[in-house]
Amino acid sequence: MRYLLLVLLICSCKKDSKFKDEQLGVVNVSLRATHTFTKSVDNITVPVNIVLSSSAPKIFTVGIGVNNDTINELIGNHSLEGAILLDPAYYQLPKTAEIRFGLDTFAIPLQVSMQAIEKYYGNKLALAVTLDNPGKGNTLGSKTAIVVINTMDIILQEDIHYISFTDAGKVLGEPSGTDHTLGTTNVILPVSVSLGGVAGGTFIISVSAAPDTAQALIDNGTLAGSVLLKEGDDYSLPATMNFPANSNVAKFNITVKTASLTKYVLNKPVLAVTLSDPSKHLLDSAKRTLVMLLDPAKLIETDITNTNIRYTTQYENGNGNENSPKLIDNNINTKFLLGSFTSAWFQLEFATPQTTGAYTITSANDAPGRDPKSWKMEGSNNGVDWTLLDTRLDQSFGSRFLTVKYTFSNQDAYKFYRYTVTSVVSGTLWQQAEWRLLKRP
């Protein structure tokens, strides 16, 4: 029993001692700016130190704020020569700090966007950080710390992340490469945007039409004879684009109506787009706008299936509702059906040789097992000697009346084109709603 009482007495003394410590007098709380910082691709973090006159006797909180009037006054009386008040859009600062028992210093993290460093490069950024309402009866000493960031100490000029159109600085002729997508109703033109410097986190940029820029080039004769395309009527573009993380190049698409290209086939349609309001980094003012001159002759995809052709098939169906003409009647609600199917060819003979690099296949109304599964496309100039242009194996159609376009590389003109189905999905029946041959520029 004596040992047990001793242990209890010792524990009681420790508890009383701790309680006595927590009743120590108030501390004086001050704020001091530091000259250190840590840097990432997207931000710098500046620690602003809360300094106590002695160790905190108990947990308490203190409010954190800023005093812009102080900075404006210092700038106005030339005490902060060359400084600019740090805009709230470019920094993050906690609103309170919790000072735990036993601490005599605490670092407030002031996080400043690298966008501010880049935007105001060559200047100093200033902010007055303040303390108020220290809890538990503690008092304030120096309640304001002036933080001054010399942007030239953070980065070099060549480190600035400029955003620009990759091909800006010239009138971009379209198509400019092979990554555009041609369609019977729309043409998709990818536009490339570049980021200078080391790639960082994702960010967003606004995209909009710049008709005045394009019209000025038409008016001054630089693009004489061109026609200005109108956003909404002739083309569409996204309101914003997302620039992915850890990348120096991103793309967005401009969708141009084929009907507008056809309408202005004898002109060179022109449009212009501009970038604005990046959520990070800076726009290159000289390369934020891109002017695009379109060549309709190289962008219009034409259906030539029924143009001066002679159409023949290897087999015929005696039922006039499901016979060979239904395969090319440009009506997806009709179909060509063959029974006892193993393979069959279907052939177009043109009056003059044609160059093509695409075709479409449309699934018929029922029985997915009857869909073509494997086939080949060939070209010939005499109907005897054939050149293999495209082969597809193990294809499938996800729904009825589904039109799928297939493209292939071909620069040669042929008088004959032959489509040969070599197998169906299942069973011994074959059916197909449409086969259309497309002329690509």
Side-chain angles (χ1 to χ4, degrees):
M1 179 66 68
R2 185 167 47 193
Y3 297 123
L4 178 59
L5 288 175
L6 179 60
V7 171
L8 291 174
L9 181 61
I10 292 172
C11 292
S12 176
C13 290
K14 286 188 176 181
K15 182 176 181 181
D16 290 342
S17 176
K18 181 178 179 182
F19 181 81
K20 182 178 179 181
D21 288 342
E22 291 181 348
Q23 300 304 312
L24 292 175
V26 299
V27 296
N28 188 263
V29 184
S30 300
L31 199 60
R32 295 178 187 173
T34 65
H35 300 286
T36 62
F37 65 89
T38 57
K39 182 173 72 172
S40 69
V41 174
D42 296 323
N43 303 287
I44 67 165
T45 301
V46 180
V48 183
N49 287 335
I50 297 176
V51 181
L52 281 61
S53 58
S54 61
S55 298
K58 63 183 72 175
I59 292 176
F60 68 94
T61 60
V62 59
I64 302 169
V66 297
N67 189 334
N68 293 338
D69 291 340
T70 297
I71 297 299
N72 287 328
E73 182 178 344
L74 292 172
I75 293 174
N77 64 26
H78 306 290
S79 297
L80 287 177
E81 199 71 43
I84 296 172
L85 175 65
L86 185 58
D87 191 294
Y90 296 121
Y91 68 84
Q92 293 182 351
L93 188 69
K95 294 181 178 180
T96 61
E98 183 178 77
I99 312 301
R100 295 191 172 275
F101 168 72
L103 292 181
D104 57 10
T105 60
F106 182 85
I108 306 170
L110 170 62
Q111 189 177 82
V112 181
S113 168
M114 193 62 72
Q115 187 177 18
I117 307 298
E118 296 173 337
K119 181 176 181 179
Y120 299 107
Y121 184 77
N123 299 106
K124 297 176 182 178
L125 301 175
L127 188 70
V129 181
T130 63
L131 297 180
D132 63 7
N133 298 323
K136 304 294 178 67
N138 297 300
T139 61
L140 285 177
S142 175
K143 67 177 183 178
T144 302
I146 307 300
V147 179
V148 179
I149 301 171
N150 187 346
T151 57
M152 298 176 71
D153 290 340
I154 308 300
I155 58 172
L156 301 175
Q157 189 165 14
E158 55 264 34
D159 296 331
I160 296 176
H161 293 78
Y162 282 115
I163 305 165
S164 65
F165 282 112
T166 305
D167 296 306
K170 60 183 179 181
V171 176
L172 177 64
E174 284 289 350
S176 59
T178 59
D179 55 349
H180 53 278
T181 303
L182 305 185
T184 53
T185 58
N186 294 303
V187 173
I188 308 299
L189 301 176
V191 181
S192 177
V193 178
S194 297
L195 172 68
V198 178
T202 184
F203 59 94
I204 299 172
I205 317 171
S206 295
V207 181
S208 59
D212 292 346
T213 299
Q215 188 63 55
L217 294 175
I218 295 173
D219 294 342
N220 68 21
T222 302
L223 297 177
S226 290
V227 175
L228 179 66
L229 293 181
K230 296 180 180 179
E231 184 189 9
D233 293 341
D234 301 312
Y235 70 94
S236 61
L237 67 164
T240 60
M241 68 167 293
N242 291 317
F243 208 106
N246 305 316
S247 177
N248 287 97
V249 178
K251 291 185 177 183
F252 68 90
N253 291 328
I254 298 178
T255 302
V256 183
K257 295 179 180 179
T258 304
S260 296
L261 294 173
T262 303
K263 179 180 179 181
Y264 300 119
V265 70
L266 298 179
N267 306 95
K268 291 293 180 68
V270 64
L271 61 89
V273 292
T274 191
L275 303 174
S276 63
D277 304 319
S279 59
K280 291 181 183 177
H281 309 309
L282 294 185
L283 286 171
D284 185 331
S285 59
K287 295 184 177 182
R288 63 183 296 177
T289 302
L290 180 67
V291 179
M292 305 175 69
L293 184 66
L294 280 53
D295 187 349
K298 295 181 179 179
L299 292 170
I300 297 174
E301 187 176 68
T302 307
D303 188 330
I304 59 172
T305 309
N306 303 103
T307 307
N308 296 322
I309 54 99
R310 178 173 174 263
Y311 169 55
T312 55
T313 64
Q314 185 175 4
Y315 303 112
E316 184 56 271
N317 185 337
N319 181 351
N321 292 323
E322 296 179 333
N323 60 1
S324 61
K326 301 299 188 290
L327 185 63
I328 62 166
D329 65 357
N330 205 19
N331 182 358
I332 66 171
N333 295 304
T334 63
K335 69 181 180 183
F336 184 15
L337 175 70
L338 290 175
S340 302
F341 185 86
T342 55
S343 68
W345 55 258
F346 317 91
Q347 181 176 296
L348 298 176
E349 178 185 354
F350 291 88
T352 58
Q354 302 289 320
T355 302
T356 182
Y359 59 94
T360 63
I361 291 176
T362 304
S363 59
N365 63 323
D366 60 7
R370 302 174 184 176
D371 289 340
K373 179 182 179 182
S374 300
W375 61 81
K376 62 182 177 180
M377 187 72 66
E378 299 170 290
S380 174
N381 278 312
N382 58 15
V384 177
D385 303 306
W386 294 92
T387 299
L388 181 64
L389 302 174
D390 189 44
T391 302
R392 304 285 169 163
L393 302 174
D394 298 321
Q395 302 297 299
S396 62
F397 294 80
S399 62
R400 303 299 83 206
F401 306 110
L402 176 65
T403 298
V404 180
K405 182 166 73 173
Y406 301 89
T407 61
F408 55 91
S409 179
N410 174 47
Q411 301 299 321
D412 297 322
Y414 295 100
K415 188 174 182 179
F416 297 85
Y417 285 91
R418 186 168 69 184
Y419 162 54
T420 303
V421 178
T422 55
S423 67
V424 295
V425 174
S426 62
T428 58
L429 291 174
W430 166 86
Q431 67 176 18
Q432 189 171 315
E434 282 295 316
W435 167 48
R436 313 297 300 175
L437 196 63
L438 307 176
K439 182 177 183 179
R440 292 166 66 82

